[in-house]
Amino acid sequence: MALSYLRSSSSRSVNLLKPLSSSLPLRRPISTDTTPITVETSVPFTSHQCDAPSRSVETNPKELLTFFRDMALMRRMEIAADSLYKAKLIRGFCHLYDGQEAVAVGMEAAITKKDCIITAYRDHCTFIGRGGTLLEVFAELMGRQAGCSKGKGGSMHFYKKDSNFYGGHGIVGAQVPLGCGLAFAQKYSKDETVTFALYGDGAANQGQLFEALNISALWDLPAILVCENNHYGMGTAEWRAAKSPAYYKRGDYVPGLKVDGMDALAVKQACKFAKEHALKNGPIILEMDTYRYHGHSMSDPGSTYRTRDEISGVRQERDPIERIRKLILSHDLATEKELKDIEKEVRKEVDDTITQAKESPMPEPSKLFTNVYAKGLGVESFGADRKEVRATLP
Amino acid sequence: MAAIFQGVGAAATLSSSPSNSFVPKKFLTSPRRSFCVRKVPSSVVVRSDGSVNFDLNSKSRRAQQLVANAVATKADSSAASSSSNPGHELLLFEALREGLEEEMERDPCVCVMGEDVGHYGGSYKVTKDLAKKFGDLRVLDTPIAENSFTGMGIGAAMTGLRPVVEGMNMGFLLLAFNQISNNCGMLHYTSGGQFTIPIVIRGPGGVGRQLGAEHSQRLESYFQSIPGIQMVACSTPYNAKGLMKAAIRSENPVILFEHVLLYNLKERIPDEDYICNLEEAEMVRPGEHVTILTYSRMRYHVMQAAKTLVNKGYDPEVIDIRSLKPFDLYTIGNSVKKTHRVVIVEECMRTGGIGASLTAAITENFNDYLDAPIMCLSSQDVPTPYAGTLEEWTVVQPAQIVTAVEQLCQ
């Protein structure tokens, strides 16, 4: 082992171009290495009306470590939100995303911040993926003005306009027509960007989804509809809600792809493929086969409609973070200890942010009436006593 | 004792329009006002009472110069800024189209979505020939899927496009209620101000000629509690064009209520670019005895009743409230302070209509000025029947308005 340490210290500055061999555990600055590594996805893709992309995904140590860190952060954040909810600091509805982190992280790896993402109410991790900060998340969850929506939105209404994250919607399925509208605007402005409209297996039975899909296919919009199939729509299993649970096929004339949603690299590959497809041929449906460990929301224990064995089984066999951890360890990109250090660091970061968020102020009472209308733009407008005199015409 | 309608400054007369039986022969609306020159940030603000305000800065001086130029070419103009320009005559749906066309030329972000708006030209011809001029990407024929295309319009508006969504009949927009209420109205608030939704949702509503219950709905009563939206109702070609343009330029979601029976109204409107203030009511006929508040088609019933009332010696003040959300309590309040009696004439149903809210608003704010309880004349709380005679009795008729005013002014 000492030999390998010596070796690593001398080779630290050297960029090795050879792929790693398993007999020499070499350590190098893991956060900046971009030597390509090819990994096979866990299961092959199944496709509908299109050719499935290849199972081999290109990645590199930096990306894998980023995946690990981001997913660990998201997981830690959701678990912390769980305890905050039980401590009554978060009220109302709180829908947690732990177990599904691979979808958010893999999608981000395949696209740019100019592509739009819109999702439903399980949006905390997607928001982080889009560049939101932990403070904005916890402050918004606790209703403070430092939150991303200034405390006025809550758990289900996270938005980040500058990185094209359009939320954050409470009504099941209503975000899909909005997402197709975003795709329409992208086509209108000739941006060469795409929109990912995420919805769940419960929302997959909404009529407005098929209406929007029809219009997107007619008008060739760069819309990618992503069904995050965690197999339970609130408390109803998918086989009890959908006659045809093959959600990727439900687009009929629209091509579809079924992806293992617990494998971040498979998600990345599928999203890359989908983006290319959408820019050329119009809409496509991606079905992410994923799983949530928590119940539908914090008011749902999550065990009345599924067994604890099932939950722990998935956690043991398919957990996205464990998969990346195994990948990192088997390619010797980092030691167990380093990964544990990352997790500790993430945990500390989350705890510190929560402390900071707990101390941040609630919104001012006068803010109750701000942002109802966009004022100051457009024609002169008045209140009942003509006290508010606005600017002039644009 | 012809109806004397006061107007400030030179007023253009409407040509008599025989197409609608309820439009009085000689119809003077409040006079044309000045304009905003296209693409120049204007500082000319027009009020419905006739006054014109200029901002005292250099931009305004430039606008003033442009104003002078525009008027100077016309021959016999005596009044300074009021329009001596004879303008051009058109029907209400043409006025809407003109407004829409001008805004689409002015701003490439404006697009129109709706059923049959493109190749067919619009079921009420409001978007006729626009698809030929602007292309299929800007004038979009949608399938019959109100929920999703309204949602798509809102999604597009979130990115900065300015869609104009047409409901073929306002009643069909009930299918899109979720999108209008939750996404259109509330997104600006729940996102903490990050997104504005500059969408215009428009369409004809109201009781037509024996169209049946489902095609004669008054959606303004259902939408009025949605926070974050503005609602306006147009009633003349002049304010139709002005409100359409203002609605498109506004950063807020605006629902523009048109009326199926008013599309063929004819009026002379100015040639210049102008808009109408979205939050302002229109003084149709100043008076002293009683304030009659109305909007959309009922305005014409009220004016017809006003003729009879004037003949009988009353002096009603008629205000077309135009802005259904928020109410222009300033104009209304000043009128109540003058006359001390209010009659509201609306087409909504008695329960939960615009009149009900307006009654509450006036009572709360101006109770001290009222000499008598507010009379609210609204449609009956029944689905609109098909039979012509029954349908007539669901809406308020001029004779009922006359009786109500006489009762109130005893």
Side-chain angles (χ1 to χ4, degrees):
Chain A
M1 271 296 118
L3 191 59
S4 68
Y5 281 146
L6 276 174
R7 252 263 170 108
S8 64
S9 60
S10 61
S11 61
R12 192 155 290 152
S13 48
V14 174
N15 246 340
L16 276 185
L17 298 170
K18 264 191 330 187
L20 296 167
S21 62
S22 49
S23 56
L24 277 172
L26 291 168
R27 225 77 50 70
R28 60 178 59 76
I30 48 183
S31 55
T32 51
D33 187 10
T34 48
T35 37
I37 305 175
T38 311
V39 181
E40 287 261 306
T41 63
S42 52
V43 289
F45 301 103
T46 26
S47 66
H48 167 77
Q49 305 243 8
C50 68
D51 295 321
S54 109
R55 269 180 84 173
S56 316
V57 188
E58 275 251 323
T59 179
N60 57 58
K62 176 176 173 194
E63 186 171 71
L64 288 174
L65 265 301
T66 317
F67 278 7
F68 183 82
R69 187 175 201 286
D70 287 346
M71 288 203 279
L73 184 73
M74 291 175 182
R75 177 70 60 93
R76 194 67 235 142
M77 175 181 80
E78 296 294 71
I79 295 181
D82 180 317
S83 354
L84 284 177
Y85 192 89
K86 291 185 176 135
K88 292 213 194 305
L89 282 163
I90 301 179
R91 315 302 298 271
F93 291 126
C94 190
H95 305 87
L96 299 177
Y97 200 72
D98 54 328
Q100 299 182 209
E101 299 91 351
V103 177
V105 153
M107 189 180 289
E108 283 302 326
I111 61 178
T112 68
K113 289 288 187 288
K114 288 212 188 318
D115 296 307
C116 303
I117 296 186
I118 189 170
T119 182
Y121 40 78
R122 214 177 287 280
D123 54 354
H124 307 166
C125 300
T126 323
F127 176 74
I128 294 280
R130 283 265 99 178
T133 65
L134 271 181
L135 180 62
E136 283 177 330
V137 171
F138 283 116
E140 185 63 37
L141 287 174
M142 295 198 260
R144 310 299 163 108
Q145 71 188 30
C148 55
S149 303
K150 312 226 178 51
K152 301 207 271 201
S155 161
M156 299 187 284
H157 299 285
F158 283 18
Y159 303 92
K160 197 164 169 62
K161 182 166 189 184
D162 48 9
S163 37
N164 284 319
F165 177 56
Y166 287 86
H169 296 273
I171 303 293
V172 169
Q175 76 276 12
V176 179
L178 287 184
C180 296
L182 298 173
F184 170 71
Q186 287 172 327
K187 179 167 178 160
Y188 194 95
S189 337
K190 302 188 175 38
D191 272 349
E192 297 295 312
T193 50
V194 295
T195 299
F196 286 82
L198 280 68
Y199 59 97
D201 47 299
N205 300 314
Q206 274 267 321
Q208 50 189 325
L209 198 146
F210 295 96
E211 293 178 19
L213 200 60
N214 178 38
I215 301 183
S216 310
L218 262 180
W219 295 350
D220 266 325
L221 302 181
I224 299 163
L225 273 64
V226 180
C227 178
E228 293 179 291
N229 183 6
N230 53 29
H231 306 287
Y232 295 93
M234 291 218 292
T236 308
E238 62 175 344
W239 57 271
R240 291 181 66 225
K243 186 75 179 169
S244 158
Y247 299 106
Y248 68 108
K249 284 194 190 156
R250 301 246 303 239
D252 187 26
Y253 41 83
V254 170
L257 196 65
K258 186 168 166 141
V259 185
D260 179 3
M262 306 295 255
D263 180 353
L265 293 167
V267 171
K268 173 186 164 190
Q269 179 85 320
C271 291
K272 208 157 115 218
F273 169 78
K275 177 169 175 174
E276 282 160 20
H277 184 279
L279 284 174
K280 268 195 314 231
N281 306 339
I284 180 172
I285 298 184
L286 295 178
E287 182 185 337
M288 304 285 179
D289 187 352
T290 179
Y291 199 84
R292 54 168 162 81
Y293 298 142
H294 270 90
H296 164 73
S297 72
M298 287 305 300
S299 3
D300 171 23
S303 47
T304 52
Y305 46 87
R306 49 186 193 174
T307 60
R308 289 192 199 279
D309 288 339
E310 181 190 306
I311 306 174
S312 46
V314 174
R315 206 188 268 274
Q316 265 179 340
E317 285 166 40
R318 296 177 66 202
D319 186 74
I321 302 183
E322 288 313 305
R323 173 170 284 147
I324 296 290
R325 190 200 298 267
K326 280 194 201 112
L327 208 54
I328 292 177
L329 291 175
S330 67
H331 284 266
D332 281 314
L333 303 176
T335 57
E336 280 263 3
K337 183 179 177 308
E338 280 172 343
L339 293 181
K340 282 239 170 2
D341 283 342
I342 292 179
E343 285 182 317
K344 277 209 199 93
E345 187 197 318
V346 153
R347 190 181 183 130
K348 183 171 183 312
E349 193 181 332
V350 167
D351 287 340
D352 286 343
T353 314
I354 292 181
T355 320
Q356 193 185 355
K358 276 188 196 168
E359 279 155 30
S360 71
M362 296 288 265
E364 298 287 313
S366 62
K367 297 283 188 223
L368 177 63
F369 298 104
T370 57
N371 297 132
V372 180
Y373 291 109
K375 302 242 183 196
L377 307 164
V379 298
E380 205 168 321
S381 68
F382 306 90
D385 48 5
R386 293 260 156 109
K387 268 203 200 125
E388 311 162 10
V389 177
R390 289 295 159 220
T392 52
L393 297 161
Chain B
M1 277 105 20
I4 301 168
F5 296 87
Q6 272 182 1
V8 180
T13 55
L14 262 191
S15 66
S16 58
S17 49
S19 49
N20 282 297
S21 55
F22 45 79
V23 175
K25 268 236 156 138
K26 204 135 199 232
F27 192 88
L28 296 173
T29 59
S30 82
R32 311 293 160 263
R33 280 291 150 251
S34 251
F35 28 74
C36 108
V37 181
R38 246 170 30 165
K39 288 200 167 85
V40 171
S42 156
S43 47
V44 181
V45 177
V46 179
R47 310 276 173 94
S48 58
D49 61 356
S51 58
V52 180
N53 273 359
F54 291 98
D55 257 12
L56 294 178
N57 54 39
S58 59
K59 276 192 188 151
S60 109
R61 244 170 273 134
R62 187 155 55 108
Q64 271 179 299
Q65 271 185 326
L66 288 166
V67 163
N69 280 339
V71 174
T73 53
K74 305 300 168 199
D76 42 25
S77 115
S78 47
S81 59
S82 52
S83 124
S84 46
N85 191 325
H88 55 285
E89 215 172 60
L90 39 54
L91 305 175
L92 196 142
F93 72 86
E94 290 170 350
L96 286 167
R97 185 186 345 131
E98 225 178 63
L100 191 50
E101 196 174 336
E102 284 174 16
E103 287 305 303
M104 288 181 79
E105 273 171 8
R106 177 181 179 271
D107 185 352
C109 289
V110 181
C111 56
V112 184
M113 299 186 186
E115 295 158 13
D116 278 344
V117 295
H119 296 187
Y120 189 80
S123 41
Y124 293 94
K125 292 182 271 181
V126 175
T127 49
K128 188 154 184 266
D129 292 335
L130 288 185
K132 285 198 203 114
K133 182 166 175 188
F134 295 106
D136 276 345
L137 195 59
R138 288 188 74 187
V139 183
L140 299 138
D141 279 325
T142 61
I144 306 178
E146 282 79 6
N147 197 354
S148 53
F149 73 70
T150 312
M152 285 178 69
I154 296 167
M158 282 169 94
T159 65
L161 284 194
R162 307 184 93 94
V164 177
V165 172
E166 171 174 316
M168 191 182 273
N169 186 297
M170 269 293 177
F172 307 160
L173 290 181
L174 284 174
L175 289 159
F177 205 123
N178 174 49
Q179 297 289 350
I180 295 175
S181 167
N182 288 327
N183 294 330
C184 180
M186 303 203 196
L187 266 174
H188 186 59
Y189 191 85
T190 56
S191 66
Q194 287 181 65
F195 297 109
T196 54
I197 319 283
I199 193 176
V200 176
I201 299 175
R202 50 161 292 266
V207 176
R209 292 245 184 276
Q210 298 187 253
L211 296 177
E214 291 169 2
H215 293 74
S216 316
Q217 299 196 68
R218 279 79 76 191
L219 280 243
E220 52 267 23
S221 49
Y222 303 152
F223 288 152
Q224 63 178 322
S225 347
I226 300 175
I229 58 164
Q230 285 189 260
M231 306 201 304
V232 286
C234 62
S235 47
T236 65
Y238 177 76
N239 62 33
K241 179 175 174 187
L243 289 173
M244 168 74 94
K245 291 174 69 127
I248 295 176
R249 292 191 199 183
S250 167
E251 289 294 318
N252 293 309
V254 179
I255 305 187
L256 173 58
F257 289 92
E258 301 152 14
H259 198 287
V260 274
L261 292 181
L262 298 184
Y263 277 130
N264 288 324
L265 278 182
K266 198 187 269 198
E267 191 184 352
R268 181 153 242 132
I269 64 170
D271 289 331
E272 304 91 22
D273 213 8
Y274 71 93
I275 59 170
C276 291
N277 192 328
L278 282 177
E279 293 93 355
E280 212 168 11
E282 189 178 320
M283 178 71 70
V284 182
R285 179 195 189 281
E288 296 288 326
H289 287 165
V290 60
T291 302
I292 307 183
L293 301 171
T294 180
Y295 66 94
S296 192
R297 179 189 172 208
M298 288 295 117
R299 166 183 173 144
Y300 297 96
H301 282 206
V302 166
M303 292 313 290
Q304 198 171 358
K307 265 177 46 178
T308 317
L309 286 170
V310 166
N311 286 345
K312 292 193 176 182
Y314 296 96
D315 189 16
E317 177 155 293
V318 180
I319 296 181
D320 180 344
I321 60 174
R322 248 167 41 182
S323 170
L324 304 178
K325 185 181 169 84
F327 292 130
D328 182 6
L329 288 176
Y330 182 74
T331 309
I332 295 172
N334 280 339
S335 177
V336 172
K337 289 179 193 174
K338 189 167 59 164
T339 65
H340 311 296
R341 289 175 224 285
V342 181
V343 175
I344 301 174
V345 180
E346 55 155 0
E347 204 173 343
C348 276
M349 309 224 194
R350 152 140 271 110
T351 309
I354 296 285
S357 305
L358 193 50
T359 308
I362 297 176
T363 314
E364 263 171 33
N365 287 301
F366 307 115
N367 195 29
D368 292 336
Y369 297 99
L370 289 171
D371 281 347
I374 302 175
M375 280 200 89
C376 181
L377 301 173
S378 10
S379 300
Q380 305 308 313
D381 275 326
V382 292
T384 312
Y386 166 71
T389 44
L390 290 181
E391 186 188 61
E392 245 178 53
W393 284 105
T394 47
V395 294
V396 180
Q397 298 296 331
Q400 294 169 306
I401 305 174
V402 173
T403 319
V405 170
E406 286 178 335
Q407 234 179 346
L408 199 58
C409 289
Q410 264 162 8

